[in-house]
């Protein structure tokens, strides 16, 4: 499966219909199977996308023909549409709109960093809410999800047991989606290859190797990753012209 993703060294979470369709046409020309639109697709122009984690709106003004119309054009190019998610978390401010039991808590405090709080997947209402958000996109033709993980949490004792219960519910959440959409492909990105453990590999079709954007450093990462990931499951990023996120051209050395 050859996927074109529009984040690294490309749109940096600022997609719009015209730009993405131009990139998709080029991706189709070189033989890509899917076009995955990364973070930013759910935020309106000029907004900080991270402030809308957990909302997953489908009415952004970035797509003149509507999000469904945009995905239809992607499919007409012979590409499978895909989107980025960080499905386990919710922006901290957005989280205040939901009941406290929608989130993993430790001593009554929502678990997560300053910007993100973790959903409690053992709560059926959480699973229903997030299923509706994902299925809205699946009904539009999306069949690839890149699931990210840009925060983490840990616990001890009884809280660790509850954390394990949450992870099991998270995996079952995706298994329920697979049962209804057997052609759904989910990549575990995990902030560029975090959480590549046996459980994650058992539930997701692809495992991101690394978001290292200097191709000269990539071979050793791939070789090491093959120690615990099957070759057909290894999501190898390919960025032949390395441009750092600062805009610095790594080939030029400036």
């Amino acid at each position: 499966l050859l996927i074109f993703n529009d984040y690294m060294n490309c749109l940096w979470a600022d997609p719009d219909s015209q730009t993405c369709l131009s990139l998709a046409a080029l991706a189709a020309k070189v033989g890509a199977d899917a076009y995955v639109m990364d973070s930013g697709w759910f935020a309106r122009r000029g907004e900080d996308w991270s402030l809308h984690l957990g909302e997953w709106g489908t009415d952004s003004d970035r797509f003149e023909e509507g999000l469904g119309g945009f995905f239809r054009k992607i499919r007409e190019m012979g590409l499978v549409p895909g989107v980025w998610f960080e499905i386990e978390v919710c922006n901290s401010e957005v989280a205040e709109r939901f009941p406290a039991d929608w989130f993993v808590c430790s001593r009554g405090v929502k678990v997560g960093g300053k910007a993100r709080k973790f959903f409690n997947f053992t709560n059926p209402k959480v699973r229903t809410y997030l299923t509706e958000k994902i299925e809205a996109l699946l009904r539009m033709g999306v069949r690839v999800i890149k699931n990210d993980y840009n925060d983490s949490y840990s616990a001890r004792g009884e809280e660790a047991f509850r954390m394990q219960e949450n992870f099991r519910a998270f995996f079952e959440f995706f298994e329920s989606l697979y049962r209804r959409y057997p052609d759904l492909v989910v990549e575990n990105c995990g902030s560029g290859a975090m959480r590549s453990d046996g459980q994650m590999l058992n539930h997701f079709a692809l495992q991101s190797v690394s978001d290292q954007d200097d191709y000269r450093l990539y071979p050793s990462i791939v070789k090491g990753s093959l120690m615990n990931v099957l070759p057909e499951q290894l999501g190898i990023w390919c960025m032949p012209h390395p441009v750092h996120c600062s805009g610095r051209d790594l080939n030029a050395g400036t």
Side-chain angles (χ1 to χ4, degrees):
L1 183 65
L2 178 58
I3 298 173
F4 182 89
N5 180 285
D6 63 19
Y7 185 73
M8 293 291 291
N9 301 343
C10 198
L11 300 186
W12 297 115
D14 189 21
D16 62 58
S17 181
Q18 183 176 355
T19 304
C20 290
L21 290 174
S22 297
L23 290 172
L26 294 172
K29 186 176 181 180
V30 298
D33 300 299
Y35 183 96
V36 172
M37 185 164 46
D38 213 275
S39 50
W41 59 267
F42 47 89
R44 299 179 71 80
R45 295 179 188 271
E47 291 183 333
D48 181 349
W49 59 266
S50 67
L51 299 179
H52 299 278
L53 292 171
E55 292 179 338
W56 310 119
T58 57
D59 60 348
S60 173
D61 60 352
R62 295 172 180 271
F63 309 98
E64 293 83 358
E65 63 279 84
L67 197 54
F70 168 78
F71 289 136
R72 184 166 56 251
K73 290 182 178 180
I74 293 293
R75 296 191 74 88
E76 288 171 355
M77 293 181 186
L79 297 168
V80 178
V83 293
W84 175 97
F85 266 104
E86 208 173 335
I87 199 66
E88 292 160 86
V89 300
C90 183
N91 173 267
S92 297
E93 294 185 10
V94 175
E96 295 300 315
R97 307 174 198 165
F98 299 116
D101 65 354
W102 277 40
F103 299 91
V104 178
C105 293
S106 175
R107 296 177 176 85
V109 178
K110 295 185 183 76
V111 168
K114 183 177 181 181
R116 294 167 169 84
K117 305 303 178 187
F118 282 86
F119 279 119
N120 173 17
F121 279 82
T122 67
N123 187 328
K125 293 181 179 179
V126 170
R127 296 195 302 272
T128 297
Y129 170 77
L130 293 174
T131 296
E132 289 174 353
K133 295 296 183 179
I134 291 178
E135 285 197 321
L137 295 163
L138 297 179
R139 287 193 294 270
M140 295 179 191
V142 167
R143 284 299 182 273
V144 179
I145 290 176
K146 174 187 172 184
N147 187 56
D148 223 329
Y149 187 77
N150 292 314
D151 204 340
S152 60
Y153 66 100
S154 60
R156 297 179 180 179
E158 185 178 339
E159 289 185 352
F161 175 75
R162 289 200 299 271
M163 180 178 70
Q164 289 298 320
E165 287 185 324
N166 190 55
F167 279 130
R168 293 188 187 100
F170 169 68
F171 293 136
E172 175 53 33
F173 168 79
F174 270 104
E175 290 299 327
S176 68
L177 287 173
Y178 297 147
R179 287 192 286 271
R180 292 194 297 279
Y181 302 91
D183 56 343
L184 175 62
V185 174
V186 181
E187 173 192 0
N188 174 42
C189 177
S191 192
M194 286 169 41
R195 296 201 305 179
S196 54
D197 57 87
Q199 279 280 45
M200 300 301 293
L201 297 173
N202 189 46
H203 293 279
F204 298 126
L206 291 174
Q207 169 62 51
S208 179
V209 178
S210 172
D211 54 9
Q212 167 64 252
D213 58 1
D214 188 339
Y215 65 88
R216 296 165 295 188
L217 303 177
Y218 219 102
S220 61
I221 296 173
V222 173
K223 184 177 180 180
S225 298
L226 287 168
M227 295 294 291
N228 73 306
V229 184
L230 292 170
E232 60 268 29
Q233 199 173 9
L234 209 60
I236 301 172
W237 291 54
C238 179
M239 291 164 277
H241 188 80
V243 180
H244 190 263
C245 58
S246 65
R248 181 168 55 93
D249 187 333
L250 298 178
N251 271 341
T254 57

